[in-house]
Amino acid sequence: MSSVTVRVPAKVNVQLSVGPLREDGYHDLVNVFHAVSIFDEVVAKESESITVQVNGKWSDQVPTDDCNLAIRAARALAKHAGRTYGADLIIQKEIPVAGGMAGGSADAAGALVACNELWGLGLPMEDLMEIAGDLGSDVPFSLIGGTAVGTGRGEQLSELPTGGTFHWVFALADGGLSTATVYAECDRLRAALGAEVPWPMLDDSLMEALGTGDAYALGSHLTNDLQAAALNLRPELAPTLDSGRQHGALGAIVSGSGPTCAFLAIDATHARDLAQSLTATGAAHTAVAAHGPVHGATLV
């Protein structure tokens, strides 16, 4: 096999509860991931070394050196296998860069699956999940997709049953937000308040809404503890969220660390109309309708 193609989805966090700052600099999380139908494609081709090329939207914002998470994933897989392998990785970007939708993590997951197939390793998902957890908190979820709750740093996953399809609109912002910067701002805001930070807990009402496929209930229980920090760093996101609510979104939330804003719609028609309204009114320069849950990294 000389070439392998993997399709891997973006994610939205329908609950992101952030615990107190730990001594190791991380936070304990309750992070409910939901994979949505915005996809990157990762192609792995035979090569003597591991390289990456990025095409499509935001390609100029993605590093192609050792900082690239897909390169790191391929190298980690080769090291795990105990041999020297090569692959030219070609990434077709559709997921926003630094947009709070796990674009880099998706590409890393795609590289793991593609190289596992290209190199004929035949490693089980358990091995890939272990490697993914060392690469970043969002990478394991990008492998499995669907809907899942992540605890610890977010990498300890349990799949959640979802009773139907949910329809979303994502307002894509100009420029990205550093995840580390948003977490640091969250810690700063909390320190300024001086209040004790509670231990993160899974929202039972949100779980029920997911299980029954009730979009109205899910919309009323979307939560993101990083949203205040993201809005403090990018105040222009607040009017975008307000505009989505005014146009009938069942829920409006910053996705992950932002700056992408996510809106839950009633159905596919409402999602299409909402996306058009957001762009027509100037609330967003680009708005994309999508649905979830969808599968994680998949060979195509």
Side-chain angles (χ1 to χ4, degrees):
M1 188 174 296
S2 61
S3 177
V4 175
T5 301
V6 172
R7 189 176 74 165
V8 61
K11 61 83 180 168
V12 62
N13 304 93
V14 295
Q15 178 185 348
L16 179 48
S17 297
V18 180
L21 182 64
R22 304 189 322 200
E23 290 184 0
D24 63 2
Y26 290 101
H27 302 75
D28 283 293
L29 305 176
V30 168
N31 196 352
V32 180
F33 299 99
H34 183 70
V36 296
S37 59
I38 300 172
F39 300 97
D40 281 0
E41 282 195 349
V42 180
V43 179
K45 296 184 176 181
E46 288 183 345
S47 178
E48 295 297 315
S49 60
I50 296 175
T51 65
V52 69
Q53 171 187 327
V54 185
N55 303 320
K57 300 176 184 177
W58 306 287
S59 58
D60 59 335
Q61 301 175 36
V62 181
T64 55
D65 56 13
D66 291 351
C67 294
N68 185 282
L69 202 54
I71 284 183
R72 290 169 52 196
R75 288 179 176 166
L77 181 65
K79 182 179 180 180
H80 181 88
R83 290 181 56 187
T84 300
Y85 292 96
D88 288 332
L89 303 173
I90 304 168
I91 300 172
Q92 185 68 32
K93 288 299 294 178
E94 292 292 335
I95 304 172
V97 175
M101 300 188 76
S105 296
D107 297 339
L112 287 174
V113 173
C115 290
N116 187 44
E117 186 75 11
L118 180 73
W119 297 337
L121 300 179
L123 293 177
M125 179 61 76
E126 291 78 6
D127 286 25
L128 298 184
M129 290 287 284
E130 181 180 346
I131 298 167
D134 291 335
L135 291 166
S137 299
D138 290 348
V139 183
F141 176 73
S142 295
L143 282 173
I144 65 170
T147 305
V149 58
T151 54
R153 292 184 289 109
E155 82 288 1
Q156 300 170 22
L157 292 176
S158 300
E159 296 185 56
L160 295 177
T162 305
T165 297
F166 294 99
H167 296 274
W168 300 87
V169 173
F170 297 95
L172 311 182
D174 286 320
L177 270 174
S178 159
T179 299
T181 299
V182 176
Y183 270 97
E185 180 68 3
C186 177
D187 291 334
R188 188 192 69 79
L189 292 174
R190 287 174 165 181
L193 289 173
E196 184 177 350
V197 178
W199 193 259
M201 300 290 290
L202 185 59
D203 185 336
D204 290 337
S205 296
L206 180 135
M207 287 269 289
E208 182 179 356
L210 288 168
T212 59
D214 187 338
Y216 288 87
L218 180 61
S220 66
H221 287 94
L222 299 176
T223 56
N224 181 1
D225 284 354
L226 294 180
Q227 181 161 305
L231 293 179
N232 215 42
L233 294 167
R234 295 284 292 272
E236 68 273 18
L237 299 179
T240 301
L241 292 172
D242 289 341
S243 180
R245 296 184 188 102
Q246 290 165 9
H247 286 96
L250 303 180
I253 196 170
V254 172
S255 180
S257 56
T260 302
C261 293
F263 304 93
L264 186 59
I266 299 168
D267 53 27
T269 300
H270 182 218
R272 184 179 64 248
D273 292 345
L274 178 56
Q276 291 173 349
S277 296
L278 288 168
T279 53
T281 59
H285 69 82
T286 304
V288 179
H291 65 271
V294 297
H295 293 296
T298 303
L299 290 164
V300 296

